[in-house]
Amino acid sequence: MAIDKQSQHSAPSRSLVGDRGWLPRIRLAGQRSLTRYRIPFTRRTWFQGHAVVNPRDLTRQYKLDDKRPWFWIGGLIAALIIPILVGTNLALTAATTFALYAAINLMWMLVIGTAGIFSLATLAVVGASAYLAAWFSIEFGITWPVMLLLGTLVGLLFGAIIGLPALRIDGLYFALLTMGVVELCRVYVLQSRTFGSATGGLYGADTFIPVAWQLKTPGLILGYVAAFAVMLAMLGIYRLVNGQRLGLLLATARESEATAEALGINYQRARFTVFLISSAGLGFIGGFYATYFKGASPSLFSIDQVMLLFAMIVIGGLGRAEGAVVGTGVVVVLDKMFTEFGPIRFIVIGLIMLGVTLFARNGLFGIRDQFVEFRNKKKSERRSGRTEKGGEPLPEEATEIRDKDQIYFRRFDKRLRDHLKTLVTPEVIEEHRLKPLGQHSDPLERVLNYFRGAGGENKYVLYELKANTEYKIIVTTGEKGIPPRDVDSTIYTSKNEALHAVFLKRVQDLMDS
Amino acid sequence: MAKIVLTGYCDRFSVKPGEDISFMVSAEGTKTAEVQLVRLIHGDENPEGPGFIEKEVDGPIDGSHSVRKQHTQAGSFARIDDPDTRLALGQAFTLWAMIWPTTPEKGRQGILARWSITHDRGYALGINGDGQLEFWVGDGKKTDAVHAEVPLRPRQWYLVAVSYDPKSGQATLYQERVETRYGNLLSKITPLDMNSHVTEALRIRPADAELDFLMAGCHDHNADRGDFIGQLYNGKIDRCGVVGRAMSRADLDAMLQEVTQPADVIAHWDTSEGYSDKGIGDDIVDTGPNKLHGRGHNRPVRGATGYNWNGRDDCFRLAPHQFGGVWFHDDSMLDCQWKATFSMTLPDLKSGVYAARLQAGDTIEHLPFFVRPKKPGSAIAMLIPTCSYLAYANDRLGLEFPTSQLVSAHVPVFHEWDIELSKHPEYASSTYDTYSDGAGVCYSSRLRPIFNMRPKHRMAGTAVAWQFPADMSIIYWLETKGYDYDVITDEDLHREGKDCLSPYQVVINGTHAEYYSERMLDATEDYLAEGGRVMYLSGNGYYWAVSFREDDLSCMEVRKLDSGSRAWQALPGEHYMASNGERSGIWRNRGRPPQKIVGTGFTSEGMDESKPYRRMPDSYHKSVAWIFEGVEEELIGDFGLAAGGAAGIEIDRYDLTLGTPPHTRILASSEGHSDSYPRVSEEIAFNFPGQGGTQHYHIRADMTYFTTLNNGAVWSPSSIAWGQALPWNNGDNNVSRVMANVLDAFAKPGPLPGAEYHAEEKHWK
Ligand SMILES: [Fe+2]
């Protein structure tokens, strides 16, 4: 057996592996009493994490289950503070726009992502609420808190009216229908005197900003903080709807409508409920819009605004709250902060959209997963290029094998198989055919012992269909309680014939390995 | 139409005319089954033999019976007897236990629980889906829980506890590794922190589950099965208890140092209480004031090494307090507890092997049983090795035992019944299998369907008829040759001792009488000493020491120890049987090699090819030559239903050093065995190459003969395959001839043939 020569021959190229830990590890001794404090009214704890045992040195380390809440908190605090610190009017109005659009987009995400309704009337709901709240304020002198309430009610009503057809007609038709609604609203307010066709908008409503602060920095700061609060509220609604029962129901339903129905989930009703909730949210935003701008403008109904919102969602990635917020941020910063670049901004926004749709499957926030997936793919490609199938593992692969015994087994098994392959000759096969059971020549015994000792998974065995006259080959699964499966439909009429057929299959697998 | 499945079992192995026997049947796909009493004659369908033969007999069970599906509770657990519901626990409390989990990663498991899975009510200290210690509560609508930081490690001792105060909702988990040099899988040098102490305020207050407090399981229910126990725990539970206040960390630290009854104790289970020199029962004793005793179901394994085992005292009889481990297995099952489908008072039937044949559509099932005579009337007794049937009952060797192909040197041949069995883990396994947590199966009972105790059955791994269907070849031969014989079973022999054998001139062993209790061995030895005669037709017989509880012969216990051909090995300190306190393992290692009783003992096994015997020179001595009367050939048994020869499968050998009587003759020995017949492990001290049939002369079956006191004698062909060679050519063959010569002589009282040829030899040549 030319093992020595072979081992030198087949030694794969090896490089050092092992990463040094640069970040300090949070070690928690098991002796220490740990109290997990919960977030009030939930079962969640503040630091949702768990201890893990590092397989390399058995150290117990603390690991956060989900780092996202911390990113959220950090990100939101930064988003709140930076515009105030910058303090320019431009920055503050841009930030306010961002907060409002982000709020709208969160609600839109509920409609599209959670309820699966392709409505383009999102902004129209905001507009309708803003117009009515403003009009009531001007005509009847209602104060800003009532405007918020009224906006919400209008949103709910509007939502109910346009939501009903969504249950009856398919996605694309519904999208066109809502586009029609938007255009109808726009044309209406442009021509309606009541709604300020002459002044290019309806102005003069009550506002929450004190008169003295109006159009001054403190007023803008107050406006921004208020808009930010609205965004936080919408984020809360988004999480409640999407993360709780309703969202889970709809997620199940999206997987399979049949399963959902079998489980007694009323898919259409759940969708409609989500649509109503988001419409009410949008109505509230509309009311806020009217109190912030002291009125409403027809631009709320313009298609280009809808398209801009759409761009935000696409860039951020559908179905993720952080996507809606960050996507909005990106577009608003480009749109409002770089006005000196003119229309080129929109080309840049378009290019980003194109890039995201072409290369990132799930928007900006899908990039990380996509990257990991890509790395894994590359990894397995590279590994399979460097090792022979079933051969000795590479150092980087060995680090991932828990039972190190298996590493030696693979080395040994490879060499054994290489040797056994040289023993399988036509004479040996013929010897087995003539006498499958009993004492055989040394080469055949060695080959048979290898076959007999192989693990229980994917092992060829026989199944006797009819006593002594009908056999077929099946394959064991090696798992308790999981019956063997069929290989093919060949029937062997004697046990010896069947035994030899199994032998031939095993030889085939050996030679192929 | 759904496939019809019929299966069942009898409430007893052997029955005499006038006694009652019940049949428990479970059926799928049919509501009725046709029942016919049959006498079984032959069970092996090998075309070299006569095939399957049964004879219909008129019986009171014949006719159509309604059948239904019957369910089985698998898994061992203990139920606490708590008539005053003291464990409903409205107040602050602590649950604590010394545990040694074996499969913490397997999913949710209850350790100490009064928990309804279906209604989310009650409380439980157990293991969660992530393998962590968890305390969970439920109020009937919602559940809440606190879990430890790291998963429990398998096979390590821990003190675990939860202190809970419903007023504040605060639950504190306590998880501390118990330091022991012996019982833990990992030594203390492994730098693995296994401890955890977590406090969390729970939002939910437990509502009373209104169900029994359990160890190692939780209450479940479904419409089909009704109530059953689920979330079964794998591993040992040692001392444990319930205390009526939230114990502090310091209180529990003190328990870790020494387990004592704490103040405000509600229940204090001293699992090592109630042991006797004669074994351990199912009761788990509460030594606290309320006497809330527990009772094990599906026989948790008692007397296992405990958290405080010192490694020096190796038996629970020596230091009971160190052996408080109660080992629960989620797939242990000893009694299906099915309702009787039909019963009968046995009519006056001739002794023999019978079965209730069930039929529905194309599905046929036999439920075999053994009819003893009302009073022993024949000279010949066929001893059915039911202990060995139990040992092999529902073996899953071919499907699950990775080295079985190396042992058998044969590609397994599966059948419908193997697949069906694999769908029914609840019918439990054989003593050749392991429980789901890797421990060897040490209990086997007959109160369950036994798939391989059926005519026509063939063992997958060896591809031959094994045990019951193989023994039917001896029955066929006795029937065909017209012998008048009685059937008795191992269970009868164990119960009645020597009296069971004494009425007979000769007792015939089955093909593989491997498992023997001390009482069976004693009875056989005494019977032989008093002039009895034994035809030892087994290979690898009188091998494992087994035991029964005095009050329950339905369940046999065995521990596979450090030697012998064994499918598993008992842990250190667990070599003594809980059923009666005796050491298990092979009889040879207890000073009673089979050679002392039947002249030969286990030497090798293999399933590729059986071989013939060749007559040995000693067989020409007139004192034994009569055994070969009418046999011209030198080769005996170059045919047979078990791999084509009379010597094979498992074979035994003469050995003076192991107590073969010195006057024993080797009449014939088998030859030409393959290297797939290696020497058995107990023969090997140093291992080296050349232990196989082509290289080592020990690989042979010896046909031996010796006389005992009072005209007694033992004749031993010492091979499993012998009995299966008898039916070849309809019983007309030289194996049959030799067998008949011996049986005819043994069945006659008085001096044996050839006894007069005892004089000193004066040879001229
Ligand atoms: Fe055996």
Side-chain angles (χ1 to χ4, degrees), chain B residues 388 392 432 466-467 512 514-515 539-540 543-544 560 565 602 605 650 720:
Chain B
S388 301
Y392 278 95
Y432 288 80
W466 192 268
Q467 296 280 17
H512 193 23
E514 183 178 357
Y515 290 75
N540 182 211
Y543 191 66
W544 291 106
K560 312 266 166 137
S565 298
F602 196 24
E605 65 183 321
E650 298 188 19
I720 285 184

Side-chain angles (χ1 to χ4, degrees), chain A residues 28-45 49-54 57-62 402 435-440 442 445 448-456 459-465 467-468 471 474 476-484 495 498-499 502-503 506, chain B residues 45-47 132 143-151 153 170 175-176 190-204 249 331 396 398-400 402-403 405-406 408-417 419 422-423 429 433-436 458 462-464 607-609 611 672-676 694:
Chain A
L28 299 175
Q31 277 298 320
R32 176 198 33 84
S33 290
L34 169 88
T35 304
R36 287 200 199 108
Y37 295 102
R38 292 181 170 185
I39 302 169
F41 312 111
T42 71
R43 282 184 52 183
R44 297 166 65 90
T45 50
H50 63 279
V52 288
V53 174
N54 185 327
D57 63 3
L58 299 183
T59 298
R60 188 192 291 189
Q61 296 167 221
Y62 191 72
R402 190 188 63 85
K435 187 171 184 268
L437 295 167
Q439 186 65 36
H440 303 109
D442 261 19
E445 279 296 296
L448 281 171
N449 275 336
Y450 178 76
F451 291 160
R452 291 164 187 158
K459 203 160 180 169
Y460 298 113
V461 295
L462 291 175
Y463 189 88
E464 193 171 19
L465 293 153
N468 315 304
Y471 298 85
I474 55 174
T476 56
T477 59
E479 269 181 80
K480 220 170 175 161
I482 305 197
K495 193 171 88 175
L499 288 171
V502 168
F503 177 74
R506 288 172 169 183
Chain B
E45 289 189 295
N46 188 321
Q132 297 156 329
T143 63
D144 203 347
V146 52
H147 63 82
E149 289 168 275
V150 282
R153 300 282 311 190
Q170 289 245 319
Q175 174 180 318
E176 279 280 330
T190 303
L192 191 60
D193 186 348
M194 299 181 190
N195 303 332
S196 180
H197 298 270
V198 181
T199 302
E200 214 166 320
L202 304 181
R203 288 208 300 160
I204 306 293
R249 170 104 180 244
D331 56 348
R396 294 161 198 259
L399 273 171
E400 286 157 13
T403 57
Q405 285 199 42
L406 282 169
S408 65
H410 199 296
V411 174
V413 182
F414 291 101
H415 299 86
E416 214 182 331
W417 49 73
I419 309 297
S422 76
K423 292 182 199 158
S429 323
D433 298 285
T434 50
Y435 293 115
S436 76
R458 273 188 221 188
T462 62
V464 292
M607 286 80 191
D608 55 344
E609 204 180 14
K611 292 287 178 180
H673 294 287
S674 74
D675 284 332
S676 297
T694 66

